[in-house]
Amino acid sequence: MVRGKVEMRRIENATSRKVTFSKRRNGVMKKAYEISVLCDAEVAIMIFSQKGRLYQFSISSMEKIIERYHEYAKEALKHNNTFEVEQHMKQLKEKAASISKKIEMLEISKRKLSGQGIGSCSMNELQEIDNQPERSLKKIRTKKSQLFKDEIEQLKDRERLFLEENARLSIKVHPDS
């Protein structure tokens, strides 16, 4: 006989829930015992029931295992935090260097556009500087034009809604027309 797959969700019936808890708790305890014997592993399990009752299993002292866990967790946290801080610092330094480089390039570009420091520029660089305001104006005008088009579309939509509303109200006021 094949057992069907159990849907993992809370059992609503309190009696069924208690029976299932008891059976599964015993199954978990049995598996813990088996792994500790078969693999010579230190195993500790603590289970709290819905009412708050503690069920625990350990081959050796539960306190020793918990203490060992706390030491391990503390060391892992210390190591993990140190590594995370170092990684974060590295990322921040890279980001700061990148931003500094961008600022420097923008300042150079600003000086050249204002006419300062162009003595060392080549003919191609001077041509680029000369064309930059035109490109900027073109981008600005394109963006402005797009915003106007969007605004016109929104106003047309509002006009259409107002006309429809006006027609509905007109029918209500003059039903015989």
Side-chain angles (χ1 to χ4, degrees), residues 10 18 79 84 86 110 126 129 138 141 146 171:
R10 184 176 187 269
K18 288 177 186 175
H79 175 70
E84 287 176 5
E86 288 173 357
K110 178 185 164 197
L126 290 172
I129 293 169
K138 186 176 179 182
R141 287 180 180 138
Q146 185 61 45
I171 290 172

Side-chain angles (χ1 to χ4, degrees), residues 80-114:
N80 196 21
N81 281 346
T82 303
F83 179 73
E84 287 176 5
V85 168
E86 288 173 357
Q87 288 291 82
H88 188 63
M89 290 298 291
K90 183 180 177 185
Q91 289 174 349
L92 289 176
K93 286 178 182 177
E94 289 172 357
K95 199 172 191 177
S98 171
I99 290 172
S100 293
K101 184 123 176 114
K102 285 179 183 177
I103 290 171
E104 184 180 333
M105 296 299 290
L106 288 171
E107 286 175 347
I108 291 170
S109 178
K110 178 185 164 197
R111 281 195 301 271
K112 286 181 180 178
L113 285 173
S114 65

Side-chain angles (χ1 to χ4, degrees), residues 4-5 9 25 43 64 66 68 76 99-100 108 112 169:
K5 188 172 184 176
R9 62 177 177 79
R25 181 195 70 227
V43 177
K64 286 182 182 177
I66 291 173
R68 185 174 170 193
I99 290 172
S100 293
I108 291 170
K112 286 181 180 178
L169 292 174

